[in-house]
Amino acid sequence: MLHKTQGIVLRPVKYGDTSLVVTIFTEQFGIQAYMVKGVRVTGATRNRASYFQPGTLLDMVVYMQHGKNMQLIREYHAAYIYTSVHESVTKNSILMFSAELMLRLLPEHAPLPDLFTAASKYLISLDTADPRHVANYPLWFLALCSRLLGYDPRGSYGPATPYLDREYGGFSAHPPAYPPYTTTEDAFALHQVLLANDHDAIQGIAINSEMRSRLIDWYIAFLQQYTQHLGNIRSLPVLRSVLH
């Protein structure tokens, strides 16, 4: 059966001489794998493979056969054309990190329309934002995905709970006994991030690069407690290098 849906490309993998197997986070069906034939040929159609780069937002008409691990796409075109993401090293690194995070964190075949809508708005905001003000975006996206998947840190920041403890799963009265180690300043910064309800708010939070790196490590370790397949984020070292 044919369905119209939007999608966010998460990972393309070469298949054969001319095709791709593409993992896409779809609005209607969650994460699905699609066979896309003939997009890696030379000549006039060679640019079709560019539609399937990580982070691309698509409007699609897809075949959906329940019980099959591989689906097919009948039609596709860009739902949004990026104007600055691919020209900015910082923005592109954030885009790759965000796409990999969704690939590794989200459950397969589970519709998550609220998260899809939020992720689409986030990626468009990343594209339109001033590149000098996007350093907090990866941390904010970690918190956004966590919240919409139901994995909120326990408690809240305050005089009685000024620490972050991954073993406890949130804000604690005691400093962490195990890594990743964080400071009370880190806990307050994360508190501000969790209160930020839009992209403008996250841009105004003052977090230095060392603090940001510790908080990203803390949030990834926090999420690893809830999903066995998250694993290591391969794009994280590149992200660190550009968010200095």
Side-chain angles (χ1 to χ4, degrees):
M1 183 177 295
L2 287 171
H3 299 269
K4 291 183 178 180
T5 186
Q6 288 196 326
I8 301 171
V9 177
L10 302 184
R11 179 179 62 189
V13 176
K14 293 179 181 179
Y15 183 85
D17 294 330
T18 63
S19 301
L20 293 170
V21 174
V22 187
T23 305
I24 300 178
F25 177 26
T26 69
E27 183 177 23
Q28 284 199 44
F29 309 109
I31 290 185
Q32 299 286 334
Y34 293 94
M35 173 68 71
V36 190
K37 298 180 179 179
V39 293
R40 293 170 45 233
V41 296
T42 58
T45 59
R46 62 186 176 185
N47 289 330
R48 290 166 59 196
S50 66
Y51 283 96
F52 300 101
Q53 296 305 305
T56 303
L57 285 82
L58 295 175
D59 284 321
M60 304 184 296
V61 177
V62 301
Y63 293 95
M64 185 62 196
Q65 298 186 53
H66 294 284
K68 283 198 170 184
N69 291 327
M70 190 82 67
Q71 309 293 339
L72 295 173
I73 302 177
R74 179 173 177 176
E75 300 173 20
Y76 56 88
H77 64 269
Y80 177 82
I81 298 175
Y82 290 115
T83 60
S84 69
V85 158
H86 298 302
E87 284 70 42
S88 166
V89 173
T90 299
K91 288 187 176 184
N92 192 59
S93 298
I94 294 172
L95 178 76
M96 299 305 247
F97 170 83
S98 302
E100 186 182 359
L101 177 67
M102 289 187 281
L103 175 70
R104 297 183 181 279
L105 179 62
L106 305 188
E108 292 184 350
H109 309 156
L112 297 164
D114 290 344
L115 181 49
F116 180 88
T117 298
S120 298
K121 291 180 179 179
Y122 160 82
L123 292 173
I124 293 171
S125 173
L126 174 65
D127 184 53
T128 59
D130 187 320
R132 296 171 297 176
H133 300 148
V134 297
N136 291 338
Y137 270 54
L139 178 59
W140 189 76
F141 192 58
L142 275 163
L144 176 67
C145 291
S146 178
R147 182 174 70 250
L148 291 176
L149 289 171
Y151 306 139
D152 270 326
R154 298 174 62 182
S156 61
Y157 177 86
T161 52
Y163 297 100
L164 280 170
D165 188 339
R166 191 259 303 170
E167 290 289 316
Y168 174 72
F171 296 93
S172 169
H174 308 287
Y178 304 96
Y181 299 108
T182 54
T183 67
T184 55
E185 290 79 9
D186 296 339
F188 177 67
L190 184 59
H191 168 71
Q192 292 180 295
V193 170
L194 294 173
L195 291 178
N197 54 15
D198 59 31
H199 311 106
D200 291 335
I202 194 64
Q203 293 179 30
I205 300 174
I207 304 177
N208 63 43
S209 59
E210 292 81 7
M211 184 183 298
R212 188 181 302 111
S213 181
R214 288 194 298 268
L215 287 173
I216 288 174
D217 284 346
W218 187 91
Y219 230 119
I220 290 174
F222 169 74
L223 288 170
Q224 285 171 338
Q225 296 182 146
Y226 299 101
T227 173
Q228 295 180 349
H229 57 266
L230 178 58
N232 295 321
I233 307 296
R234 296 179 182 177
S235 56
L236 185 55
V238 176
L239 183 70
R240 289 192 202 285
S241 71
V242 301
L243 295 182
H244 51 74

